[in-house]
PDB file of all heavy atoms in Angstrom:
ATOM      1  N   GLY A 375     -19.739  13.762  -8.022  1.00  0.00           N
ATOM      2  CA  GLY A 375     -20.831  14.677  -8.340  1.00  0.00           C
ATOM      3  C   GLY A 375     -21.954  14.063  -9.146  1.00  0.00           C
ATOM      4  O   GLY A 375     -22.927  14.743  -9.487  1.00  0.00           O
ATOM      5  N   GLN A 376     -21.853  12.753  -9.419  1.00  0.00           N
ATOM      6  CA  GLN A 376     -22.859  12.128 -10.272  1.00  0.00           C
ATOM      7  C   GLN A 376     -24.229  12.014  -9.591  1.00  0.00           C
ATOM      8  O   GLN A 376     -25.253  12.175 -10.233  1.00  0.00           O
ATOM      9  CB  GLN A 376     -22.353  10.737 -10.683  1.00  0.00           C
ATOM     10  CG  GLN A 376     -23.142  10.102 -11.773  1.00  0.00           C
ATOM     11  CD  GLN A 376     -22.608   8.721 -12.187  1.00  0.00           C
ATOM     12  OE1 GLN A 376     -23.019   8.217 -13.201  1.00  0.00           O
ATOM     13  NE2 GLN A 376     -21.731   8.102 -11.437  1.00  0.00           N
ATOM     14  N   CYS A 377     -24.226  11.707  -8.262  1.00  0.00           N
ATOM     15  CA  CYS A 377     -25.537  11.579  -7.600  1.00  0.00           C
ATOM     16  C   CYS A 377     -25.733  12.685  -6.560  1.00  0.00           C
ATOM     17  O   CYS A 377     -24.819  13.012  -5.808  1.00  0.00           O
ATOM     18  CB  CYS A 377     -25.783  10.221  -6.957  1.00  0.00           C
ATOM     19  SG  CYS A 377     -24.451   9.061  -6.921  1.00  0.00           S
ATOM     20  N   THR A 378     -26.951  13.185  -6.516  1.00  0.00           N
ATOM     21  CA  THR A 378     -27.245  14.364  -5.690  1.00  0.00           C
ATOM     22  C   THR A 378     -26.979  14.134  -4.200  1.00  0.00           C
ATOM     23  O   THR A 378     -26.347  14.974  -3.565  1.00  0.00           O
ATOM     24  CB  THR A 378     -28.704  14.807  -5.924  1.00  0.00           C
ATOM     25  OG1 THR A 378     -28.884  14.918  -7.330  1.00  0.00           O
ATOM     26  CG2 THR A 378     -28.996  16.143  -5.266  1.00  0.00           C
ATOM     27  N   PRO A 379     -27.437  13.018  -3.593  1.00  0.00           N
ATOM     28  CA  PRO A 379     -27.213  12.878  -2.145  1.00  0.00           C
ATOM     29  C   PRO A 379     -25.733  12.964  -1.785  1.00  0.00           C
ATOM     30  O   PRO A 379     -25.363  13.595  -0.787  1.00  0.00           O
ATOM     31  CB  PRO A 379     -27.766  11.479  -1.831  1.00  0.00           C
ATOM     32  CG  PRO A 379     -28.714  11.186  -2.933  1.00  0.00           C
ATOM     33  CD  PRO A 379     -28.188  11.879  -4.153  1.00  0.00           C
ATOM     34  N   CYS A 380     -24.882  12.367  -2.590  1.00  0.00           N
ATOM     35  CA  CYS A 380     -23.447  12.375  -2.285  1.00  0.00           C
ATOM     36  C   CYS A 380     -22.841  13.741  -2.601  1.00  0.00           C
ATOM     37  O   CYS A 380     -22.108  14.307  -1.785  1.00  0.00           O
ATOM     38  CB  CYS A 380     -22.755  11.258  -3.082  1.00  0.00           C
ATOM     39  SG  CYS A 380     -20.964  11.310  -3.021  1.00  0.00           S
ATOM     40  N   ARG A 381     -23.142  14.262  -3.775  1.00  0.00           N
ATOM     41  CA  ARG A 381     -22.548  15.548  -4.176  1.00  0.00           C
ATOM     42  C   ARG A 381     -22.911  16.649  -3.186  1.00  0.00           C
ATOM     43  O   ARG A 381     -22.056  17.356  -2.670  1.00  0.00           O
ATOM     44  CB  ARG A 381     -23.036  15.913  -5.586  1.00  0.00           C
ATOM     45  CG  ARG A 381     -22.450  17.216  -6.131  1.00  0.00           C
ATOM     46  CD  ARG A 381     -23.113  17.612  -7.449  1.00  0.00           C
ATOM     47  NE  ARG A 381     -24.529  17.883  -7.271  1.00  0.00           N
ATOM     48  CZ  ARG A 381     -25.516  17.252  -7.923  1.00  0.00           C
ATOM     49  NH1 ARG A 381     -25.250  16.309  -8.797  1.00  0.00           N
ATOM     50  NH2 ARG A 381     -26.778  17.558  -7.687  1.00  0.00           N
ATOM     51  N   GLU A 382     -24.215  16.785  -2.901  1.00  0.00           N
ATOM     52  CA  GLU A 382     -24.676  17.862  -2.010  1.00  0.00           C
ATOM     53  C   GLU A 382     -24.397  17.520  -0.550  1.00  0.00           C
ATOM     54  O   GLU A 382     -23.946  18.355   0.219  1.00  0.00           O
ATOM     55  CB  GLU A 382     -26.177  18.101  -2.211  1.00  0.00           C
ATOM     56  CG  GLU A 382     -26.557  18.529  -3.630  1.00  0.00           C
ATOM     57  CD  GLU A 382     -25.849  19.799  -4.064  1.00  0.00           C
ATOM     58  OE1 GLU A 382     -25.697  20.722  -3.244  1.00  0.00           O
ATOM     59  OE2 GLU A 382     -25.419  19.855  -5.234  1.00  0.00           O
ATOM     60  N   GLY A 383     -24.689  16.258  -0.187  1.00  0.00           N
ATOM     61  CA  GLY A 383     -24.567  15.865   1.222  1.00  0.00           C
ATOM     62  C   GLY A 383     -23.136  15.957   1.729  1.00  0.00           C
ATOM     63  O   GLY A 383     -22.888  16.439   2.844  1.00  0.00           O
ATOM     64  N   SER A 384     -22.188  15.492   0.924  1.00  0.00           N
ATOM     65  CA  SER A 384     -20.790  15.537   1.395  1.00  0.00           C
ATOM     66  C   SER A 384     -20.361  16.992   1.580  1.00  0.00           C
ATOM     67  O   SER A 384     -19.635  17.319   2.520  1.00  0.00           O
ATOM     68  CB  SER A 384     -19.854  14.791   0.433  1.00  0.00           C
ATOM     69  OG  SER A 384     -19.891  15.376  -0.844  1.00  0.00           O
ATOM     70  N   LEU A 385     -20.849  17.868   0.716  1.00  0.00           N
ATOM     71  CA  LEU A 385     -20.502  19.295   0.833  1.00  0.00           C
ATOM     72  C   LEU A 385     -21.160  19.922   2.069  1.00  0.00           C
ATOM     73  O   LEU A 385     -20.528  20.670   2.812  1.00  0.00           O
ATOM     74  CB  LEU A 385     -20.942  20.012  -0.447  1.00  0.00           C
ATOM     75  CG  LEU A 385     -20.402  21.409  -0.651  1.00  0.00           C
ATOM     76  CD1 LEU A 385     -18.882  21.393  -0.769  1.00  0.00           C
ATOM     77  CD2 LEU A 385     -20.993  22.033  -1.925  1.00  0.00           C
ATOM     78  N   TRP A 386     -22.447  19.580   2.292  1.00  0.00           N
ATOM     79  CA  TRP A 386     -23.133  20.131   3.476  1.00  0.00           C
ATOM     80  C   TRP A 386     -22.437  19.678   4.759  1.00  0.00           C
ATOM     81  O   TRP A 386     -22.246  20.458   5.691  1.00  0.00           O
ATOM     82  CB  TRP A 386     -24.594  19.663   3.520  1.00  0.00           C
ATOM     83  CG  TRP A 386     -25.475  20.206   2.445  1.00  0.00           C
ATOM     84  CD1 TRP A 386     -25.163  21.153   1.505  1.00  0.00           C
ATOM     85  CD2 TRP A 386     -26.830  19.822   2.184  1.00  0.00           C
ATOM     86  NE1 TRP A 386     -26.227  21.366   0.667  1.00  0.00           N
ATOM     87  CE2 TRP A 386     -27.264  20.571   1.064  1.00  0.00           C
ATOM     88  CE3 TRP A 386     -27.710  18.918   2.763  1.00  0.00           C
ATOM     89  CZ2 TRP A 386     -28.556  20.437   0.530  1.00  0.00           C
ATOM     90  CZ3 TRP A 386     -28.989  18.781   2.236  1.00  0.00           C
ATOM     91  CH2 TRP A 386     -29.401  19.548   1.132  1.00  0.00           C
TER      92      TRP A 386
END
Side-chain angles (χ1 to χ4, degrees):
Q376 192 179 193
C377 7
T378 309
C380 171
R381 182 188 63 238
E382 299 302 321
S384 61
L385 193 63
W386 292 354

